[in-house]
Amino acid sequence: SAVISQKPSRDICQRGTSLTIQCQVDSQVTMMFWYRQQPGQSLTLIATANQGSEATYESGFVIDKFPISRPNLTFSTLTVSNMSPEDSSIYLCSVTQTSGTDTQYFGPGTRLTVL
Amino acid sequence: DAKTTQPPSMDCAEGRAANLPCNHSTISGNEYVYWYRQIHSQGPQYIIHGLKNNETNEMASLIITEDRKSSTLILPHATLRDTAVYYCIVNRGSSNTGKLIFGQGTTLQVKP
């Protein structure tokens, strides 16, 4: 399976600021996704990162709050904008590979704390 | 995508088989059953998936009932490192929109 890395692994941020999370894959992948896991909760899909076009957002998530880029087949970023303590979560990227399987593989996650 | 129902928690003795059940009574014919686990807030780890036949890999076995309305994940010899939250997810596979819907999963505690 693909090796997925995320930067930063964790961060503590101040209210009102923004943080950009990077997701890097060691091989070309078909699809890239961003999930959020709030404390004590399960994972929720934020959006699908589309190469060269705007991301597809799930209900309850908007581009102004979570802008996403995907400039190529191995890299994507998620920005959490104008943060509040409610944004404290683990943010995870996942990918499906071009090898034919639709299995999703997840990165290690970015643990964000907003003060 | 169909919803799944899992028990919130289970215990298992180290070295014994762990059998984790999942109900997916509204599954449709083109939906696969996927299992992931998440160890202590790490990224979810893919375990196994299947359509209607039983599947086995180096990590686990997946038993799917003939009517496909339920399945069981079997960890044949559980170790302490298998303590995790296990998620059963139904997804459309090759026509996948990418939307994995995670429920609350089963917290498996492996005890010495």
Side-chain angles (χ1 to χ4, degrees), chain B residues 5 12 36 41 43 76 82 85 93 110:
Chain B
T5 304
C12 178
Y36 287 81
S41 296
D82 292 322
V85 179
V110 181

Side-chain angles (χ1 to χ4, degrees), chain A residues 9-28:
Chain A
S9 58
R10 60 177 62 226
D11 207 341
I12 301 173
C13 300
Q14 295 299 317
R15 179 195 302 261
T17 63
S18 298
L19 177 72
T20 296
I21 302 167
Q22 299 179 4
C23 178
Q24 178 74 55
V25 193
D26 69 342
S27 58
Q28 292 185 348

Side-chain angles (χ1 to χ4, degrees), chain A residues 1-111:
Chain A
S1 63
V3 176
I4 307 166
S5 60
Q6 288 185 231
K7 290 183 181 179
S9 58
R10 60 177 62 226
D11 207 341
I12 301 173
C13 300
Q14 295 299 317
R15 179 195 302 261
T17 63
S18 298
L19 177 72
T20 296
I21 302 167
Q22 299 179 4
C23 178
Q24 178 74 55
V25 193
D26 69 342
S27 58
Q28 292 185 348
V29 295
T30 307
M31 301 181 77
M32 299 183 77
F33 310 94
W34 288 97
Y35 288 80
R36 180 178 74 180
Q37 186 172 29
Q38 296 176 298
Q41 301 299 311
S42 189
L43 283 76
T44 301
L45 180 65
I46 297 172
T48 302
N50 299 310
Q51 190 207 351
S53 64
E54 191 172 290
T56 304
Y57 290 85
E58 296 299 307
S59 176
F61 297 96
V62 296
I63 187 171
D64 290 346
K65 176 66 175 177
F66 298 101
I68 288 170
S69 77
R70 188 182 172 190
N72 56 49
L73 293 175
T74 63
F75 184 78
S76 178
T77 66
L78 167 75
T79 299
V80 186
S81 303
N82 187 26
M83 288 184 287
S84 67
E86 291 71 36
D87 294 318
S88 298
S89 297
I90 298 173
Y91 292 87
L92 300 119
C93 70
S94 72
V95 305
T96 58
Q97 294 188 266
T98 56
S99 61
T101 176
D102 291 303
T103 301
Q104 279 189 38
Y105 297 95
F106 285 80
T110 295
R111 183 181 293 273

Side-chain angles (χ1 to χ4, degrees), chain B residues 6-52:
Chain B
Q6 299 177 252
S9 64
M10 293 181 63
D11 289 342
C12 178
E14 187 178 21
R16 304 296 293 270
N19 297 282
L20 291 89
C22 180
N23 286 325
H24 30 79
S25 58
T26 59
I27 192 170
S28 60
N30 63 350
E31 290 181 316
Y32 290 74
V33 180
Y34 285 80
W35 283 84
Y36 287 81
R37 71 181 182 184
Q38 188 174 28
I39 299 173
H40 196 243
S41 296
Q42 297 175 19
Q45 178 188 23
Y46 164 77
I47 301 173
I48 198 167
H49 75 283
L51 184 62
K52 49 185 172 182

